[in-house]
């Protein structure tokens, strides 16, 4: 093991590590990461979508450089500055909604979701949060307690959380996806009718739970139920929003307008930045109840404004739709019996790996494929135990899409041929 990784092992706390292979990087450009020895890797994760514009995007570099040179303070807690106010105004223009609305600015999707959840509890006077099994909404506070992924891993669920099954078209629990949708909506309706629900929080695409794309219309039917019972819907767009699914917002696919929308990851262009956009009556009270000293700081908000402007000016949602279709077609052409399913929207793609003999999820094989892909020159992680999560920067080219499919195809073939050291892979726990 080389020096940088060894130094990390003795210096950085394990509590904040999620490692799939000994990845070391010293620089990056576009969709490429560079290792200490000069090896170039095709980045198919975009740092879990946070580097959505790729690495070193000129618009972000210029915005951050300007802000660093003359930063008016270090946060928006007790002062205002042009980029904090400007970013909020930009988001209000880009996110559909009606009436008087506000924007919360934070550091990560975790705090944006936590604030949105707590705001709904305060405004409604109700406690129960309706969430989904295998969901991910954050690693702190209430957001962690309503994240099915954390609960699956043994974390204590929020005592006032209730979890619904997320419909999975590839693996319908009843054997019929339409029946699963109906059962989920019936259960949601029963919960909502009790009058105890503070809000419902949902991912338009279940990301860390296995990159599950719900059936068309599911989000719209869920939204209609929330409206019928006057319960706020929070749409968590932290990982799947802002261009990635081939539309600016993932919820657009079903034509809904959620009450609150949360953002993170790509919004900061690689810097810590998040936001929640919603009605003033939900996000204004109680005053001074979500205080982060450096939230809304000039550097991160300058980056956020540059990211939003670039997504719009460079038509990155349209590009994601086009290049994503190319990449999905190339992945479906991979000739391997271990590929159970290729699914996604735009540049949010899941490739599910299975045991060919049984069709059951093969998490061990997925871990080895991820490791082998790194050896062959690509960074791709797995979620849901056995699903390669392919979320490259939104600037991915068609040539890079074809190269990505070639590397993944070769990694699957090599793993099937026994070319991966299983003991070495086992050192990296992943999820």
């Amino acid at each position: 093991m080389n020096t940088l990784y060894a130094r990390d092992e003795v210096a950085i706390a394990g509590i904040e590590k999620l490692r799939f292979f000994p990845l070391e990087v010293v620089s990056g450009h576009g969709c490429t990461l560079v290792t200490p020895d000069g090896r170039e890797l095709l980045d198919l994760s975009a740092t879990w979508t946070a580097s959505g514009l790729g690495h070193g995007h000129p618009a972000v570099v210029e915005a951050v450089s300007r802000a660093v040179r003359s930063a008016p303070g270090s946060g928006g807690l007790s002062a205002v500055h042009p980029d904090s106010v400007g970013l909020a105004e930009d988001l209000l223009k880009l996110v559909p909604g009606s009436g008087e609305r506000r924007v919360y600015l934070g550091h990560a999707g975790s705090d944006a979701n936590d604030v949105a959840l707590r705001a709904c509890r305060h405004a409604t006077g109700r406690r129960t949060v309706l969430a989904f099994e295998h969901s991910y909404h954050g690693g702190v506070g209430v957001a962690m307690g309503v994240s099915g992924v954390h609960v699956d891993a043994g974390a204590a669920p929020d005592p006032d959380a209730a979890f619904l099954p997320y419909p999975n078209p590839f693996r319908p629990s009843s054997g019929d996806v339409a029946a699963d949708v109906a059962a989920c909506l019936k259960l949601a309706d029963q919960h909502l009718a009790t009058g105890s629900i503070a809000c419902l929080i949902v991912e338009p695409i279940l990301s860390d739970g296995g990159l599950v794309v719900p059936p068309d219309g599911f989000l719209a039917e869920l939204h209609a139920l929330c409206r019928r019972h006057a319960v706020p819907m929070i749409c968590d767009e932290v990982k799947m929003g802002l261009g990635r699914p081939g539309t600016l917002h993932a919820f657009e696919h079903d034509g809904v307008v959620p009450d609150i929308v949360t953002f993170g990851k790509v919004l900061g262009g690689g810097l810590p930045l998040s936001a929640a956009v919603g009605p003033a009556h939900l996000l204004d009270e109680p005053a001074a109840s979500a205080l982060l000293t450096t939230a809304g700081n000039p550097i991160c908000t300058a980056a956020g404004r540059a990211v939003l402007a670039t997504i719009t000016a460079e038509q990155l949602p349209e590009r994601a739709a086009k290049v994503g279709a190319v990449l999905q077609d190339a992945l479906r052409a991979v000739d391997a019996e271990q590929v159970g399913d290729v699914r996604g929207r735009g540049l949010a793609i899941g490739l599910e790996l299975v045991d060919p003999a049984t069709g059951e999820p093969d998490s061990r094989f997925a871990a080895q494929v991820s490791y082998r892909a790194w050896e062959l020159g690509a960074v791709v992680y797995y979620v849901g135990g056995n699903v390669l999560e392919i979320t490259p920067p939104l600037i991915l080219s068609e040539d890079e899409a074809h190269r990505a499919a070639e590397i993944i195809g070769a990694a699957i073939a090599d793993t099937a041929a026994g070319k991966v050291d299983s003991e070495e892979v086992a050192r990296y726990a992943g999820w």
Side-chain angles (χ1 to χ4, degrees):
M1 182 182 299
N2 76 46
T3 307
L4 188 59
Y5 209 87
R7 287 164 55 195
D8 168 89
E9 285 196 319
V10 299
I12 304 295
I15 200 170
E16 62 176 313
K17 294 178 181 178
L18 183 64
R19 303 291 168 79
F20 299 80
F21 33 79
L23 177 63
E24 302 175 314
V25 289
V26 295
S27 64
H29 54 87
C31 296
T32 300
L33 292 167
V34 182
T35 69
D37 59 2
R39 193 163 73 102
E40 294 195 339
L41 304 171
L42 181 60
D43 185 6
L44 301 180
S45 164
T47 316
W48 297 103
T49 76
S51 300
L53 298 191
H55 307 286
H57 193 286
V60 176
V61 170
E62 192 282 326
V64 170
S65 299
R66 169 185 59 79
V68 168
R69 281 193 298 268
S70 58
S74 299
L77 182 63
S78 299
V80 299
H81 60 85
D83 281 323
S84 65
V85 177
L87 176 59
E89 292 171 338
D90 293 343
L91 285 165
L92 288 172
K93 290 176 183 176
L94 289 175
V95 179
S98 59
E100 193 175 3
R101 295 183 297 154
R102 299 284 188 265
V103 177
Y104 160 86
L105 297 177
H107 290 316
S110 294
D111 66 71
N113 282 325
D114 183 71
V115 166
L117 291 161
R118 289 192 290 116
C120 288
R121 280 179 166 173
H122 174 79
T124 64
R126 302 189 288 265
R127 294 289 305 170
T128 305
V129 172
L130 206 52
F132 284 85
E133 296 170 358
H134 316 307
S135 59
Y136 186 89
H137 301 294
V140 296
V142 180
M144 183 176 186
V146 302
S147 293
V149 166
H150 282 301
V151 174
D152 293 343
D158 186 282
D160 295 303
F163 294 92
L164 301 170
Y166 198 98
N168 185 340
F170 182 64
R171 296 188 181 280
S173 59
S174 67
D176 177 69
V177 68
D180 281 5
V181 169
C184 174
L185 293 172
K186 180 179 179 180
L187 183 58
D189 194 28
Q190 290 171 349
H191 279 290
L192 292 165
T194 64
S196 64
I197 307 299
C199 61
L200 179 147
I201 186 166
V202 62
E203 295 172 271
I205 296 174
L206 193 72
S207 55
D208 294 326
L211 217 153
V212 177
V213 181
D216 289 348
F218 172 68
L219 199 66
E221 292 184 84
L222 198 63
H223 183 246
L225 287 177
C226 289
R227 283 292 172 91
R228 184 185 310 158
H229 295 286
V231 170
M233 172 191 272
I234 302 171
C235 191
D236 180 345
E237 298 255 326
V238 170
K239 199 171 184 182
M240 293 290 126
L242 293 180
R244 180 157 300 282
T247 52
L248 181 60
H249 306 298
F251 59 77
E252 290 181 61
H253 185 84
D254 271 9
V256 303
V257 179
D259 297 278
I260 298 178
V261 185
T262 55
F263 300 102
K265 299 192 186 293
V266 65
L267 180 62
L271 294 176
L273 179 65
S274 66
V277 181
H281 76 272
L282 291 176
L283 296 180
D284 270 349
E285 300 291 340
S289 62
L291 305 181
L292 299 173
T293 302
T294 54
N297 71 79
I299 296 168
C300 292
T301 53
R305 298 196 73 187
V307 166
L308 294 179
T310 300
I311 288 173
T312 302
E314 296 186 5
Q315 299 181 311
L316 293 185
E318 293 83 355
R319 177 169 178 163
K322 179 181 178 183
V323 178
V326 170
L327 181 50
Q328 286 195 53
D329 286 346
L331 290 169
R332 291 191 178 101
V334 171
D335 185 15
E337 58 183 356
Q338 293 84 4
V339 176
D341 190 34
V342 176
R343 54 183 177 258
R345 291 177 186 156
L347 284 173
I349 302 170
L351 187 151
E352 181 152 354
L353 294 166
V354 302
D355 181 335
T358 65
E360 291 301 305
D362 195 335
S363 57
R364 182 172 175 272
F365 191 82
Q368 293 182 6
V369 169
S370 175
Y371 190 97
R372 183 57 175 162
W374 166 71
E375 291 183 317
L376 295 175
V379 173
V380 61
Y381 305 126
Y382 60 91
V383 293
N386 68 313
V387 180
L388 298 186
E389 182 184 81
I390 302 164
T391 55
L394 303 178
I395 59 169
L396 190 79
S397 69
E398 291 190 19
D399 286 345
E400 288 170 325
H402 284 294
R403 182 154 64 92
E406 290 172 3
I407 293 173
I408 290 173
I412 293 171
D414 287 354
T415 302
K419 296 182 180 180
V420 181
D421 185 340
S422 59
E423 291 187 5
E424 173 66 14
V425 175
R427 297 180 58 205
Y428 305 95
W431 288 99

